[in-house]
Amino acid sequence: MKSVLIISHGTLAEGMFNTLKIFFGSDIPQCDYLVLSPDETAEDFRSKLADKIDELDQGDGVVIFADLLGGTPCNQTVLLKDKNIHVFAGMNLAVIMECLSARMSGDLDYQGLEDIGKQAVIDFTNFINNRSKKTK
């Protein structure tokens, strides 16, 4: 089973992880988070990231969800290319939930995960307005 790691600036990853517990229970196997604190250097974070990947990886690799493309947490994954990782930048709760649900099969569809992440962001006000126009 693939492990899952959520990384971010500040406490975003911790918040996502705690929200996942509402849906998946308080003990989500092979899933954790790591945050970049304002007082940490990129090198400090990379060291913690490498250790966390080693801790989580049970042989099937680690899927990493980073908060922001081009941000330090995401950028540091590039320097760990010797690790068995697959990285998504620009995470949302829907894509992480799908990954946690699908990983049990052992064959994650990375393109499908990306598509779900993109589909999860919509202009809800516009969606509701268009639905109400159709029902009139």
Side-chain angles (χ1 to χ4, degrees):
M1 176 172 73
K2 295 272 189 189
S3 296
V4 174
L5 180 59
I6 308 163
I7 61 175
S8 72
H9 297 84
T11 60
L12 178 63
E14 181 180 11
M16 291 281 234
F17 182 76
N18 287 331
T19 301
L20 290 167
K21 288 180 181 181
I22 294 170
F23 297 96
F24 292 93
S26 61
D27 183 28
I28 306 171
Q30 293 174 237
C31 182
D32 209 347
Y33 68 91
L34 190 63
V35 300
L36 171 66
S37 301
D39 60 340
E40 276 184 303
T41 67
E43 294 76 21
D44 292 338
F45 183 80
R46 182 173 60 247
S47 176
K48 287 181 8 183
L49 180 59
D51 290 345
K52 184 61 76 175
I53 291 167
D54 290 343
E55 174 188 321
L56 283 173
D57 190 0
Q58 302 294 307
D60 293 322
V62 179
V63 180
I64 299 175
F65 293 95
D67 61 348
L68 185 64
L69 176 65
T72 299
C74 183
N75 290 348
Q76 293 308 301
T77 65
V78 173
L79 301 171
L80 300 173
K81 56 186 167 218
D82 60 321
K83 307 281 185 193
N84 185 9
I85 60 175
H86 194 103
V87 182
F88 287 89
M91 66 183 171
N92 61 44
L93 192 60
V95 72
I96 299 171
M97 289 177 68
E98 180 65 25
C99 181
L100 288 173
S101 297
R103 71 183 177 149
M104 300 302 286
S105 70
D107 186 31
L108 286 176
D109 174 10
Y110 294 123
Q111 183 60 55
L113 286 176
E114 182 180 357
D115 293 343
I116 287 167
K118 291 175 181 177
Q119 293 165 9
V121 177
I122 67 165
D123 180 341
F124 189 67
T125 299
N126 190 43
F127 175 78
I128 294 299
N129 289 340
N130 285 336
R131 286 184 58 98
S132 65
K133 287 177 187 175
K134 290 179 184 176
T135 60
K136 290 182 180 181

